[in-house]
């Protein structure tokens, strides 16, 4: 049983990382133990009294603050209101201005937040003055109509942009834009149409030229993996790509050899702590063998967009490992959460290349084929990593698959013998 004496000893020796690990791993024990809860509050006060003395450029301190922010927002360990405010302000002081602004806006009336907000405005203004607004071409209506056609296919989960999803992309460029509910309520109160095509147009036309261009380019980036040819046509209309382009980037990637350090995206479900640790161990081991792993636990931090991480990760990855378990199938079938979204995008890729899948590597970790693998995916050969006793052999098969180095190579066809 974890004791408050252990926590106090860590506090006394200022072993902050070990304490944060304990707050996560022992969260259930701490939540139900009055003495441990009190020890946690002692840690908060001790940590924040010390952190103010650490240099603002210290990377380790910033990592600790990031971790504590994730623990609080994930409801793994809840800070007191006062210490949460201190945490946010410390992050605002230590982050680059592009990230700091997101923290400063949480408590905008705090003096440190006001400094960050003003600095952000000053730098933004300076950027706008040095880079005059890019004017959209005169064929703006055609560009919009082509874009709307790309994002209006309700049968294509990966490329369909509902109202909330559309506005979330706009907010990446214009953070203060009203959210979906606020915007629709405003239109209703003004008696304006809530037809998607009409209000999408109104939203874009209300942006300044530079914002509008950046929003459209962001949409095109998201659509590129799925509708490359149509995206290319919009880019040409915007003057962003030459008609004489000889070969699409996607084709160049397809024709190239496996890179020295292939990028691999891992898709899995957060079944329990043991499974999450197994996935992390697998990712760490693959990295040790030269594979550039894209994993949520490596890359997702407070303030980051999960949707953007998934879309960008799948887009840039040379291979995708899907780790199948019964819970993964349940979430994939229901299109639930991050797994559901990832599966929708990957499914689209497979539908387009049913006979030539060269990107997705199915891995069975738990359960039977029918229990763990969605029906459409059952047609593909998978690697079986269920047995930890034979893991090393299965792991070698996985490495060979990623590097396209099969253990059995078909010999060259010989000549007909002389009889």
């Amino acid at each position: 049983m974890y004791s408050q004496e252990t926590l106090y000893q860590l506090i006394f020796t200022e072993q902050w990382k070990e304490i944060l690990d304990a707050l996560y791993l022992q969260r259930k024990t701490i939540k139900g133990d009055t003495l441990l809860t009190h020890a946690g509050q002692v840690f908060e006060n001790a940590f924040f009294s010390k952190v103010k003395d650490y240099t603002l450029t210290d990377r380790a301190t910033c990592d600790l603050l990031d971790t504590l922010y994730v623990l609080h927002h994930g409801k793994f360990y809840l800070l007191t209101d006062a210490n949460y405010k201190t945490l946010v302000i410390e992050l605002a002081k230590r982050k680059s201005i592009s990230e700091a602004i997101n923290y400063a806006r949480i408590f905008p009336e705090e003096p440190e937040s006001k400094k960050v907000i003003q600095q952000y405005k000053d730098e933004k203004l300076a950027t706008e003055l040095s880079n005059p607004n890019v004017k959209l071409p005169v064929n703006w209506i055609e560009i919009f109509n082509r874009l709307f056609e790309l994002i209006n296919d309700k049968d294509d989960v990966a490329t369909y942009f509902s109202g909330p999803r559309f506005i979330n992309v706009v907010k990446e460029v214009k953070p203060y834009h009203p959210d979906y509910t606020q915007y629709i309520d405003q239109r209703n109160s003004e008696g304006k149409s809530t037809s998607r095509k009409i209000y999408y147009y109104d939203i874009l036309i209300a942006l300044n030229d530079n914002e509008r261009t950046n929003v459209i380019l962001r949409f095109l980036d998201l659509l590129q993996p799925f509708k490359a040819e149509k995206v290319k046509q919009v880019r040409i209309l915007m003057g962003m790509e030459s008609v004489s382009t000889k070969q699409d980037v996607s084709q160049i990637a397809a024709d190239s050899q496996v890179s020295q350090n292939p990028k691999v995206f891992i898709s899995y479900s957060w079944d329990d702590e043991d499974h999450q640790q197994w996935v992390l161990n697998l990712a760490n081991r693959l990295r040790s063998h030269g594979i550039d792993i894209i994993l949520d636990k490596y890359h997702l931090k407070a303030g980051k967009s999960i949707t953007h991480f998934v879309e960008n990760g799948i887009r840039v990855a040379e291979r995708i490992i899907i780790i199948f378990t019964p819970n993964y199938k349940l979430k994939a079938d229901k299109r639930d959460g991050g797994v559901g979204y990832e599966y929708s995008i990957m499914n689209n890729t497979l539908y387009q290349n049913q006979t030539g899948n060269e990107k997705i590597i199915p891995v069975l970790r738990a359960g039977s084929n029918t229990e763990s693998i969605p029906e459409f995916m059952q047609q593909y050969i998978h690697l079986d990593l269920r047995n930890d006793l034979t893991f090393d052999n299965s792991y070698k098969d996985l490495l060979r698959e990623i590097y396209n180095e099969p253990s059995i190579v078909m010999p060259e066809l010989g000549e007909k013998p002389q009889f």
Side-chain angles (χ1 to χ4, degrees), residues 88-340:
V88 170
I89 300 305
E90 285 294 329
L91 284 166
K93 287 161 54 179
R94 295 166 185 274
K95 294 284 187 178
S96 64
I97 191 64
S98 60
E99 292 183 85
I101 186 64
N102 296 320
Y103 296 102
R105 287 169 178 158
I106 298 175
F107 297 107
E109 298 305 316
E110 291 296 309
E112 289 293 340
S113 294
K114 288 181 178 179
K115 291 180 185 177
V116 171
I117 292 170
Q118 188 58 52
Q119 182 185 350
Y120 177 79
K121 289 179 179 178
D122 292 344
E123 291 189 11
K124 185 178 180 183
L125 177 60
T127 301
E128 290 175 350
L129 290 174
S130 61
N131 297 288
N133 287 342
V134 178
K135 298 294 182 183
L136 276 174
V138 292
N139 51 1
W140 150 244
I141 300 296
E142 181 181 354
I143 291 171
F144 173 76
N145 286 337
R146 285 178 178 269
L147 176 65
F148 187 77
E149 180 183 60
L150 287 170
I151 64 177
N152 195 42
D153 183 359
K154 291 185 178 181
D155 294 328
D156 189 339
V157 178
T159 63
Y160 177 72
F161 281 78
S162 62
R165 190 182 178 198
F166 181 92
I167 288 178
N168 283 341
V169 174
V170 174
K171 286 172 71 68
E172 289 185 31
V173 175
K174 193 176 179 66
Y176 287 130
H177 189 281
D179 62 28
Y180 173 75
T181 301
Q182 292 170 331
Y183 185 76
I184 295 300
D185 286 347
Q186 180 183 345
R187 289 187 74 86
N188 284 329
S189 68
E190 295 173 354
K192 294 181 178 178
S193 171
T194 53
S195 165
R196 289 172 59 254
K197 187 170 185 179
I198 293 175
Y199 77 76
Y200 285 8
Y201 181 88
D202 287 348
I203 287 174
L204 292 177
I205 209 66
L207 302 174
N208 66 43
D209 293 332
N210 197 45
E211 291 169 339
R212 190 183 308 117
T213 300
N214 288 333
V215 168
I216 293 173
L217 291 177
R218 177 69 183 123
F219 274 110
L220 297 181
D221 286 342
L222 297 173
L223 295 164
Q224 175 69 31
F226 312 104
K227 299 184 177 181
E229 277 303 316
K230 291 186 176 181
V231 166
K232 179 180 177 181
Q233 293 305 314
V234 178
R235 289 187 185 277
I236 290 172
L237 285 171
M238 295 179 69
M240 300 293 177
E241 186 168 340
S242 170
V243 181
S244 62
T245 300
K246 294 182 179 180
Q247 192 176 27
D248 290 335
V249 174
S250 58
Q251 187 59 46
I252 293 172
D255 293 342
S256 65
Q257 298 296 315
V258 176
S259 63
Q260 185 69 24
N261 298 110
K263 287 185 179 293
V264 175
F265 182 93
I266 298 183
S267 175
Y268 69 105
S269 58
W270 284 35
D271 296 7
D272 53 38
E273 290 181 18
D274 287 342
H275 181 60
Q276 292 176 46
Q277 188 60 50
W278 185 89
V279 173
L280 182 59
N281 291 341
L282 175 65
N284 291 342
R285 188 168 180 180
L286 289 170
R287 279 192 61 82
S288 74
H289 286 104
I291 297 167
D292 188 2
I293 294 295
I294 305 170
L295 184 71
D296 53 0
K297 287 186 178 293
Y298 290 159
H299 302 288
L300 275 182
K301 294 184 178 180
K304 299 292 184 182
S305 167
I306 296 176
T307 301
H308 179 256
F309 164 74
V310 170
E311 292 171 341
N312 189 63
I314 290 176
R315 177 176 62 83
V316 302
E318 296 169 57
R319 306 299 297 270
I320 299 170
I321 297 174
I322 308 180
I323 300 176
F324 288 120
T325 61
N327 190 47
Y328 189 101
K329 179 181 179 182
L330 181 66
K331 289 181 176 294
D333 287 344
K334 291 183 176 181
R335 299 298 192 268
D336 182 31
V339 165

Side-chain angles (χ1 to χ4, degrees), residues 19-69:
I19 294 173
L20 294 179
D21 290 342
L23 293 181
Y24 174 71
L25 295 173
Q26 305 294 332
R27 59 189 181 279
K28 292 181 180 178
T29 304
I30 293 173
K31 189 177 292 186
D33 189 306
T34 304
L35 294 176
L36 280 173
T37 300
H38 178 72
Q41 292 172 355
V42 172
F43 151 70
E44 290 180 39
N45 295 332
F47 175 70
F48 285 116
S49 67
K50 292 284 187 179
V51 80
K52 295 173 183 177
D53 299 328
Y54 299 154
T55 60
L56 296 180
T57 56
D58 181 46
R59 182 66 252 178
T61 301
C62 204
D63 288 343
L64 292 172
L65 293 168
D66 278 334
T67 302
L68 197 49
Y69 187 89

